[in-house]
Amino acid sequence: QITRASANNQLHNVEYRVGQAESIPVPDGSVDLVTCVSSAHWFDLEKFHAEVDRVLVPGGCLAVAGYVDNTFTDDTLTRIAKQHIFQGPMGGCFNERSQYYLNRYKDLPMPYDETFRDESLCFEADLTLPE
């Protein structure tokens, strides 16, 4: 993903890097936006927030997002998909912190005075089974 994003990057002020959330490979106060998608539940949150505080410029932004679980217009398909995720091969990937993700990060601890939640962004797609 990083290779593809970097190859297609046409913005001079945007860089893509790989690193750990608790040790972001950038200088202090050098980042306007820190994003993480469907991953915050794996972080050591205390260390992560300290690192976000270190790298953000004054007035910078932390954006935490997650994918909503798959739902289908057919309730049977939704049930099968959830059963596959939680009882199938991925079942062992969930731990107590996975509740943050499963609850759409609504109860993820945020040590910041100014926070807000925006649920207006939504992606929907009509797919056939082969897709």
Side-chain angles (χ1 to χ4, degrees), residues 18 21 24 26 29 54 56 64 72 90 96:
V18 176
I24 301 170
V26 298
R54 180 187 73 79
L56 281 179
V64 178
F72 301 90
M90 292 179 56
E96 67 280 352

Side-chain angles (χ1 to χ4, degrees), residues 12-87:
H12 72 280
N13 62 341
V14 173
E15 292 181 32
Y16 299 92
R17 296 188 185 188
V18 176
Q20 293 182 328
E22 300 85 356
S23 180
I24 301 170
V26 298
D28 296 359
S30 63
V31 176
D32 294 304
L33 172 66
V34 172
T35 62
C36 55
V37 179
S38 295
S39 55
H41 57 287
W42 296 113
F43 302 163
D44 177 322
L45 292 174
E46 187 174 320
K47 290 179 181 178
F48 170 63
H49 289 301
E51 189 66 354
V52 168
D53 292 343
R54 180 187 73 79
V55 303
L56 281 179
V57 299
C61 180
L62 166 62
V64 178
Y67 302 119
V68 176
D69 54 346
N70 294 326
T71 55
F72 301 90
T73 54
D74 182 315
D75 290 340
T76 302
L77 288 176
T78 298
R79 182 183 49 76
I80 291 169
K82 289 183 179 187
Q83 183 178 10
H84 178 74
I85 290 169
F86 296 113
Q87 297 172 2

Side-chain angles (χ1 to χ4, degrees), residues 3 5 29-30 46 57 62 66 80 93 98-100 105:
T3 301
S30 63
E46 187 174 320
V57 299
L62 166 62
I80 291 169
C93 296
S98 299
Q99 271 312 122
Y100 292 135
Y105 293 125

Side-chain angles (χ1 to χ4, degrees), residues 92-109:
C93 296
F94 296 95
N95 63 25
E96 67 280 352
R97 290 186 299 172
S98 299
Q99 271 312 122
Y100 292 135
Y101 170 76
L102 297 173
N103 196 27
R104 300 176 180 170
Y105 293 125
K106 290 179 181 176
D107 53 353
L108 184 74

